[in-house]
Amino acid sequence: MKRKNWYLTIGAVLTAFMLAFTALGLFWTPFEPSAMSAPDRNAPPSAAHPFGCDAYGRDVLSRTLEGAGSTLTIALAVLAVGAACGLAVGALCGYYGGPADALVMRLCDTVAAFPSVLLALVVLALTGPGKYNVIGALGVLFIPSFARLVRGEYLKYRDRDFVRSARLMGVGDLRIIFVHILPNIWPTLLSGLTIGFNNAVLAEASMSYLGIGVTPTEPSLGYMLKDAQGSLFTLPWCTAFPAAAVIALILGVSLVGEGIRDRMGAAS
């Protein structure tokens, strides 16, 4: 009898809920997220406003819907840039090795020696805040971690028997790299992707909270938390719901990744 994979089940449900929640915010919100209403200032959760209203009378549910969509979009874009570039760099360095590999890895070590969020803050201080600047800064800074992860896996597989057989049969290097070896590193790469996604969500939220991420006119869960920090105890719903959205995004993806790794481990 197979053991129930609760990590995967709970993570899939939570992730599916958050994806549906963010997708809903792209097409519909109960109120205009930035619309202020004097009569609704500081209103607690109610039937009309399930998440309550903030100090400006703005509907917290509408702002959370919009902010979650923005945060998820930025995190996925950062992950795509970092993972795609890191995969290419790590695969080529791990497969070929040589002086170019040593030089690229030293460069990655130099970048990785500094906290990525701190470097992103420096970059954004020079380029200015904004969604695309955040994606560019974080995406580039996520490349070294993925490159080192992928390179380590390719070092393990490049001299395996199936790779040598492919070379003897005249298979090209690029086909060996991306068709023969790449499928074997998916479990490790999946772990890196889940950690990278969580780091991207936290990094975006942190920078927006510090006021140097997205601009105040753009939706962001981090900026909502910054906006509500002065009313943490008087208007707790203004902080609780955006914070819960950040936690749910991170927890759901983490549990899915853990569940898939457990399933792959049981199958092997």
Side-chain angles (χ1 to χ4, degrees):
M1 182 177 178
K2 291 185 177 180
R3 179 174 61 90
K4 184 71 172 179
N5 194 330
W6 287 108
Y7 284 140
L8 184 58
T9 302
I10 297 173
V13 170
L14 188 56
T15 301
F17 173 79
M18 287 307 301
L19 289 176
F21 183 82
T22 54
L24 178 64
L26 296 176
F27 302 101
W28 174 85
T29 54
F31 299 89
E32 172 59 37
S34 58
M36 302 181 187
S37 173
D40 293 323
R41 289 181 58 200
N42 304 331
S46 62
H49 300 280
F51 286 9
C53 295
D54 62 12
Y56 301 99
R58 297 174 296 189
D59 182 64
V60 176
L61 173 58
S62 300
R63 291 176 60 76
T64 304
L65 281 166
E66 191 178 42
S70 177
T71 297
L72 177 62
T73 301
I74 292 173
L76 290 176
V78 168
L79 190 64
V81 173
C85 296
L87 173 62
V89 171
L92 294 174
C93 288
Y95 184 79
Y96 289 111
D101 169 45
L103 178 62
V104 171
M105 286 303 105
R106 297 296 77 76
L107 179 61
C108 288
D109 289 342
T110 302
V111 175
F114 299 92
S116 58
V117 175
L118 179 60
L119 286 178
L121 288 174
V122 174
V123 173
L124 290 174
L126 298 174
T127 62
K131 179 186 298 185
Y132 297 108
N133 288 343
V134 170
I135 293 172
L138 288 178
V140 170
L141 293 174
F142 274 36
I143 292 175
S145 59
F146 282 104
R148 292 200 65 84
L149 177 69
V150 172
R151 174 182 177 271
E153 291 298 299
Y154 271 80
L155 287 174
K156 291 195 307 185
Y157 284 101
R158 68 181 183 181
D159 292 323
R160 295 286 179 91
D161 289 340
F162 72 93
V163 175
R164 291 179 177 177
S165 298
R167 290 197 193 103
L168 290 175
M169 295 173 64
V171 178
D173 287 345
L174 290 181
R175 183 173 178 83
I176 292 175
I177 291 171
F178 295 109
V179 176
H180 292 264
I181 299 179
L182 181 58
N184 292 281
I185 74 168
W186 271 115
T188 302
L189 186 58
L190 178 64
S191 175
L193 288 172
T194 55
I195 294 172
F197 175 82
N198 294 342
N199 288 340
V201 171
L202 288 174
E204 188 281 327
S206 299
M207 289 190 295
S208 296
Y209 180 84
L210 294 173
I212 201 169
V214 300
T215 58
T217 56
E218 297 176 292
S220 168
L221 295 176
Y223 189 78
M224 288 182 66
L225 292 172
K226 175 182 182 296
D227 209 28
Q229 66 179 348
S231 55
L232 179 61
F233 298 105
T234 56
L235 303 175
W237 52 86
C238 292
T239 304
F241 292 112
V246 172
I247 293 171
L249 276 173
I250 293 173
L251 182 61
V253 173
S254 296
L255 291 176
V256 168
E258 187 67 30
I260 293 176
R261 285 193 295 274
D262 282 356
R263 175 167 290 186
M264 288 180 172
S268 61

